[in-house]
């Protein structure tokens, strides 16, 4: 749809969010969340219909086609409600509040599309749900009927609505009344208990936590790998590696183009929900790189390379950042872009000189010799290991790998001719930060300067377009950045910068990290109880100022803020950062103790609070430092932070100022506030870090 045609219909035509623009030509008189819509509701006394979704959401599209594009349904909406459409990726503050309220009201899990009905004056929800069909089915009432009943109820039952809203307000307020633990409460027990809880929910056969629908949960995998590094726990390592192997072999992974889909609808990782999100692939890129460090398994390296290849090929914006997501649908059907038939595979490969060897290899490896697995079609996943198929076909494993790569390239070229899924081309600060961290980690592990450069360019993009007057903005598209940033934006970006600094030193990046930390402390910190609010102190006033502690599809912002501030505090010798991190842990301690495995981001901070990170500062000549850096960064050492700072760099801030160059190269090795004598011999450094 064109923006010009949309502008004749509703107020979404002037937005930049691709999701909002998808609804700009609806017959519904949609408004974005803002004073114009809220004032209209107050003036007219109409309840607000709040619809929250995102552009890659399949059921959001279904509800849009069934109801929001239907003139009769739109007429009811326009007559009785002020209709507000929200992109949950741009406004996670609103989404977080109303998802929690929906769960309180209905005692059911939330999701998208989220459909909430709010009072006209104080914006408290009095009824809600997720997807409603246009006609009654699956035990759900038709949306038109719901609208009529809600409109009548709102006019006749104001007293009961206000009583319910007062109870809801009290419940929301009580969530903020956290009681902090005493100063000596922190202990390592939650680190161990989290592993036990993960083990209890672990799928021994297929890997992963829980059953269908099964999500990647990068924070869980990271906890398992870090616990193995901390305690030498082989069980934790094996759970992490089996999960990563199963995901890379399953249909949740794109075997032709690289990258991971959002989740698997089954427990076996076979059939995904086909949307691809930037926020999954950044953390998974880092994890597959670290899994290769732990295991040396080339499957992890290939998966990391292909995932990085996908994001750089298909998600890169001209400004240097990364787009948000790829849709689950193309041509109106979920997964259409990705699926095959044996006949279409044969047609794609038949003209190759090696077709007689390619076809049976692809068919057996990816399961096309088995019954269709997706609505009469085949979605590629590894059903038999390549080594097994190679032996059956009398092929050397190296030849089989070369043949498979050749076939994949041909199939990928054919798929490129199809109608592509829609792409949400806004840049989100927090999601780009996760990809900066992923690329910087993978670039350092695999010595890929191009990936490190891409991470640095993305950080530069954020500084240029989303850092305005000393504050971050949340989203950018088509030359326009807007919306005050959230806790996640600052926390994830601070963590990403510290990761990038380990791959490539840039003084400006360290200074930027310190600026971000200062904004966190000034505008987001809860000075009374500890921890950080999701929104700044000068943010729009909503029905709740939340302080989330639990991980969801993203790592928790309080946990990452505490983790990154702790690291920066040790690095610069800044006690204010260390104190803010410690107070966050104390504020969250009752929640951490109650359910450790749901607070993995906070467990990162707890681990390094109890066992401070090892800091290695390398100073010296540019031609000497790479050798020293390779020694310091050898292997999977998650609690090690290494900065390689050229001798020419002067006037370093804080504790770094004392770490002066001495001769061709020197290493300063510190743990917490304790530092060893400078080490001026590379062999000695190797022995101290890795033993004889």
């Amino acid at each position: 749809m064109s923006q010009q045609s949309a502008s004749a219909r509703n107020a979404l035509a002037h937005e930049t969010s691709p999701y909002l623009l998808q609804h700009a030509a609806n017959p519904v008189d949609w408004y974005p969340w803002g004073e114009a819509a809220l004032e209209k509701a107050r003036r007219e006394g109409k309840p607000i219909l709040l619809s929250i979704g995102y552009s890659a959401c399949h059921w959001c599209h279904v509800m849009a086609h069934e109801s929001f594009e239907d003139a009769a349904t739109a007429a009811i909406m326009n007559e009785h409600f002020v209709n507000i459409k929200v992109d949950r990726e741009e406004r996670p503050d609103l989404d977080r509040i109303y998802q929690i309220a929906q769960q309180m009201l209905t005692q059911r899990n939330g999701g998208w599309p989220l459909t909430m009905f709010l009072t006209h004056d104080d914006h408290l929800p009095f009824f809600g749900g997720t997807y409603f069909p246009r006609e009654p089915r699956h035990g759900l009432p038709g949306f038109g009927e719901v609208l009529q009943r809600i409109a009548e109820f709102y006019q006749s039952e104001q007293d009961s609505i206000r009583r319910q809203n007062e109870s809801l307000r009290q419940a929301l307020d009580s969530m903020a009344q956290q009681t902090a633990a005493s100063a000596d409460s922190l202990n390592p027990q939650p680190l161990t208990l989290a592993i036990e809880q993960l083990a209890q929910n672990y799928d021994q056969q297929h890997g992963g936590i829980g059953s269908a629908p099964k999500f990647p949960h990068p924070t869980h995998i990271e906890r398992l790998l870090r616990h193995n590094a901390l305690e030498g726990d082989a069980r934790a390592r094996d759970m992490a590696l089996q999960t990563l192997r199963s995901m890379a072999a399953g249909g949740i992974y794109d075997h032709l183009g690289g990258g991971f889909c959002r989740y698997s609808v089954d427990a076996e990782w076979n059939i995904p929900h086909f949307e691809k999100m930037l926020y999954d692939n950044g953390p998974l890129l880092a994890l597959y790189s670290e899994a290769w460090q732990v295991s040396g398994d080339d499957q992890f390296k290939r998966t990391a390379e292909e995932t990085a290849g996908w994001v750089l090929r298909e998600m890169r914006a001209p400004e240097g950042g990364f787009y948000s997501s790829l849709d689950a649908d193309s041509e109106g059907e979920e997964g259409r872009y990705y699926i095959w038939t044996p006949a279409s595979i044969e047609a794609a490969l038949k003209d190759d000189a090696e077709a007689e060897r390619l076809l049976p290899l692809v068919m057996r490896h990816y399961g096309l010799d088995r019954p269709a697995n997706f609505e009469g079609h085949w979605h590629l996943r590894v059903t038999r290991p390549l080594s097994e198929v190679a032996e059956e076909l009398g092929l050397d494993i190296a030849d089989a790998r070369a043949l498979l790569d050749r076939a994949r390239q041909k199939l990928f070229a054919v798929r490129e001719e199809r109608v592509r899924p829609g792409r949400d081309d806004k840049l989100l600060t927090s999601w780009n930060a996760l990809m900066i961290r992923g690329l910087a980690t993978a670039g350092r592990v695999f010595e890929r300067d191009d990936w490190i450069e891409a991470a640095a360019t993305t950080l530069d993009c954020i500084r240029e377009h989303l850092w305005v007057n000393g504050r971050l903005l949340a989203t950018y598209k088509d030359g326009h950045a807007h919306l005050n940033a959230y806790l996640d934006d600052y926390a994830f970006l601070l963590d990403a910068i510290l990761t990038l600094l380990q791959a490539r030193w840039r003084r400006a990046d360290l200074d930027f990290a310190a600026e971000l930390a200062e904004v966190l402390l000034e505008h987001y910190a809860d000075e009374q109880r500890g921890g950080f609010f999701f929104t700044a102190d000068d943010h729009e006033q909503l029905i709740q100022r939340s302080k989330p502690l639990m991980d969801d599809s993203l790592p928790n912002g309080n946990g990452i803020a505490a983790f990154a501030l702790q690291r920066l505090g040790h690095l610069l010798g800044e006690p204010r950062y260390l104190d803010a991190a410690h107070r966050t842990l104390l504020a969250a301690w009752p929640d951490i103790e109650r359910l450790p495995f749901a607070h993995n981001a906070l467990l990162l901070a707890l681990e390094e609070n109890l066992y401070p990170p090892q800091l290695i500062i390398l100073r010296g000549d540019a031609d000497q430092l790479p050798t020293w850096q390779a020694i310091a960064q050898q292997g999977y050492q998650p609690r090690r932070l290494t900065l390689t700072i050229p001798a020419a760099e002067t006037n370093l801030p804080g504790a770094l100022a004392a770490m002066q160059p001495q001769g061709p190269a020197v290493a300063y090795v510190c743990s917490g506030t304790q530092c060893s004598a400078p080490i001026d011999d590379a062999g000695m450094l190797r022995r101290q870090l890795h033993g004889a």
Side-chain angles (χ1 to χ4, degrees):
M1 71 188 69
S2 70
Q3 186 162 323
Q4 182 178 4
S5 64
S7 65
R9 295 295 187 96
N10 63 51
L12 300 183
H14 306 293
E15 295 298 302
T16 59
S17 159
Y19 176 65
L20 298 186
L21 291 173
Q22 288 171 4
H23 295 82
N26 291 166
V28 178
D29 188 17
W30 289 117
Y31 285 82
W33 181 278
E35 187 53 35
L38 301 179
E39 170 57 29
K40 178 179 172 66
R42 286 193 294 267
R43 185 174 67 251
E44 299 180 5
K46 290 182 178 180
I48 294 168
L49 193 166
L50 176 64
S51 177
I52 302 179
Y54 59 102
S55 68
C57 167
H58 173 71
W59 287 103
C60 298
H61 297 326
V62 172
M63 191 167 179
H65 295 322
E66 289 181 345
S67 296
F68 304 150
E69 295 173 6
D70 177 64
T73 304
I76 301 172
M77 295 171 66
N78 295 339
E79 179 180 357
H80 296 293
F81 302 93
V82 173
N83 304 293
I84 297 180
K85 179 59 83 168
V86 165
D87 182 342
R88 69 108 173 174
E89 296 169 356
E90 286 194 337
R91 294 301 303 263
D93 53 338
L94 293 170
D95 183 57
R96 183 179 298 275
I97 290 169
Y98 289 108
Q99 290 284 356
I100 292 172
Q102 190 268 349
Q103 293 173 35
M104 289 180 171
L105 289 172
T106 67
Q107 300 301 302
R108 296 178 180 176
N109 291 332
W112 302 278
L114 181 66
T115 308
M116 299 297 286
F117 296 88
L118 320 181
T119 52
H120 66 278
D121 48 1
D122 57 12
H123 316 146
L124 284 162
F126 60 91
F127 182 78
T130 52
Y131 163 77
F132 290 98
R134 183 169 63 184
E135 307 297 336
R137 65 174 182 269
H138 305 311
L140 295 171
F143 192 49
E145 179 185 353
V146 170
L147 294 170
Q148 293 284 10
R149 289 186 178 183
I150 292 295
E152 294 168 5
F153 181 76
Y154 193 71
Q155 296 304 317
S156 62
E157 300 292 337
Q158 277 289 312
D159 288 345
S160 62
I161 287 173
R162 297 298 175 178
R163 286 195 297 272
Q164 175 184 281
N165 282 359
E166 183 57 33
S167 297
L168 178 64
R169 187 190 295 276
Q170 291 176 4
L172 290 172
D173 289 344
S174 70
M175 295 177 64
Q177 306 302 313
Q178 298 155 320
T179 301
S182 61
D184 59 351
S185 296
L186 304 185
N187 65 72
Q189 185 175 1
L191 300 175
T192 302
L193 185 55
I195 302 304
E196 296 305 318
Q197 291 173 336
L198 291 172
Q200 290 169 11
N201 291 278
Y202 182 70
D203 183 338
Q204 296 286 347
Q205 184 175 0
H206 305 292
I209 304 301
S211 57
K214 187 175 282 183
F215 290 79
H217 293 305
T219 55
H220 289 158
I221 302 171
E222 183 178 26
R223 172 84 336 247
L224 292 168
L225 288 177
R226 286 186 66 112
H227 193 75
N228 173 59
L230 179 67
E231 299 288 351
D233 188 335
R235 179 185 57 163
R237 179 199 63 211
D238 293 345
M239 285 193 288
L241 298 184
Q242 183 190 0
T243 298
L244 292 170
R245 287 191 181 101
S246 296
M247 286 168 50
I252 191 174
Y253 183 66
D254 182 353
H255 290 276
L256 301 183
F260 288 86
C261 296
R262 179 70 197 96
Y263 63 86
S264 172
V265 302
D266 55 78
E268 295 80 23
W269 303 109
N270 282 335
I271 303 301
H273 188 40
F274 285 90
E275 65 196 36
K276 283 184 179 180
M277 315 299 293
L278 189 69
Y279 68 73
D280 290 313
N281 284 279
L284 288 172
L285 175 56
L287 283 171
Y288 276 91
S289 305
E290 291 166 340
W292 177 82
Q293 287 184 301
V294 170
S295 68
D297 187 337
D298 280 343
Q299 180 188 20
F300 297 138
K301 183 177 183 180
R302 286 194 301 272
T303 303
E305 289 173 340
E306 291 167 7
T307 299
W310 165 71
V311 75
L312 291 168
R313 182 182 65 247
E314 299 188 23
M315 304 301 286
R316 197 78 188 272
E319 296 90 341
F322 293 98
Y323 299 133
S324 297
S325 64
L326 294 183
D327 208 328
D329 300 2
S330 56
E331 300 184 79
E333 296 181 23
E334 183 178 9
R336 182 182 178 92
Y337 177 74
Y338 296 98
I339 56 179
W340 298 85
T341 63
S344 63
I345 294 282
E346 183 175 0
L349 300 178
K350 67 180 182 180
D351 292 334
D352 191 279
E354 295 278 5
E356 290 186 0
R357 296 206 295 170
L358 294 179
L359 276 168
L361 184 68
V362 169
M363 296 291 187
R364 298 180 198 189
H365 184 55
Y366 288 130
L368 282 94
D369 58 346
R370 302 186 181 196
N373 63 359
F374 185 73
E375 299 177 359
H377 293 77
W378 282 256
H379 176 56
L380 303 185
R381 81 279 192 215
V382 175
T383 56
R384 297 172 65 188
L386 185 61
S387 58
E388 179 182 310
V389 176
E391 182 178 359
E392 189 174 278
L393 296 175
L395 295 171
D396 176 85
I397 186 62
D399 289 341
R401 170 60 58 190
L403 285 169
L404 184 65
D405 288 344
R406 180 170 174 169
R408 290 170 59 236
Q409 291 171 9
K410 286 185 171 293
L411 295 174
F412 177 77
V414 170
R415 196 179 75 176
E416 284 285 276
E417 299 300 317
R418 299 175 180 174
V419 176
R420 299 181 59 81
R423 184 172 63 188
D424 187 319
D425 58 353
K426 66 177 180 293
L427 277 60
L428 294 168
T429 299
S430 59
W431 296 11
N432 270 268
L434 293 174
M435 186 52 70
I436 291 171
R437 180 180 178 276
L439 284 167
T441 300
R444 176 176 57 80
V445 168
F446 297 118
E447 299 180 356
R448 289 290 300 265
D449 288 342
D450 53 335
W451 297 351
I452 297 170
E453 180 62 33
T457 302
T458 302
L459 179 59
D460 293 341
C461 171
I462 291 173
R463 291 195 68 177
E464 180 177 354
H465 298 290
L466 289 148
W467 178 247
V468 179
N469 297 325
R471 299 287 289 276
L472 280 174
L473 297 175
T475 181
Y476 170 88
K477 183 177 181 294
D478 296 337
H480 177 60
H482 68 128
L483 300 175
N484 294 332
Y486 309 99
L487 170 62
D488 289 358
D489 297 298
Y490 284 92
F492 295 175
L493 190 57
L494 178 55
D495 183 39
I497 292 173
L498 293 176
T499 305
L500 180 57
L501 280 167
Q502 296 185 72
R504 175 181 299 179
W505 167 261
R506 295 196 305 183
R507 170 61 188 273
D509 294 349
L510 180 63
D511 293 342
F512 190 26
E515 290 182 273
L516 295 173
E518 293 298 328
V519 176
L520 268 175
L521 267 56
E522 181 178 355
H523 293 287
Y524 292 81
D526 182 345
E527 297 292 349
Q528 182 178 356
R529 296 186 176 89
F532 297 90
F533 292 107
F534 190 69
T535 53
D537 54 2
D538 53 0
H539 192 78
E540 170 191 3
Q541 187 171 352
L542 303 171
I543 64 173
Q544 183 193 40
R545 191 182 181 201
S546 64
K547 187 166 59 174
L549 300 172
M550 189 180 297
D551 301 318
D552 48 34
S553 56
L554 298 174
N556 175 261
N558 263 285
I560 300 302
F563 173 75
L565 283 170
Q566 218 162 224
R567 288 194 151 200
L568 187 62
H570 284 303
L571 195 62
L572 298 181
E574 177 49 77
R576 291 182 301 120
Y577 301 163
L578 298 173
D579 181 60
H582 190 74
R583 294 184 71 235
T584 300
L585 287 168
L586 293 177
W589 189 248
D591 294 75
I592 295 172
E593 280 194 307
R594 185 164 52 249
L595 201 61
F597 89 120
H599 297 84
N600 288 289
L602 282 158
L603 294 184
L604 284 176
L606 175 64
E607 179 186 324
E608 295 201 357
N609 179 280
L610 299 172
Y611 312 104
Q614 183 183 52
L615 306 179
I616 302 177
I617 309 302
L618 304 175
R619 304 298 312 273
D621 300 336
D623 61 337
Q624 296 290 322
L625 288 178
T627 299
W628 289 62
Q629 184 178 19
I631 295 170
Q633 296 183 336
Q634 178 184 333
Y636 178 61
Q637 301 290 340
R639 294 199 321 280
R640 179 176 296 167
L641 181 67
T642 302
L643 297 190
T644 306
I645 307 176
E649 190 73 68
T650 58
N651 299 318
L652 291 172
L656 291 177
M659 299 180 184
Q660 295 292 323
Q662 298 180 20
V666 64
Y668 296 87
V669 180
C670 306
S671 180
T673 59
Q674 303 297 316
C675 296
S676 66
I679 300 171
D680 59 5
D681 178 78
M684 185 182 297
L685 177 66
R686 179 180 289 107
R687 288 190 294 274
Q688 178 164 331
L689 298 181
H690 308 296

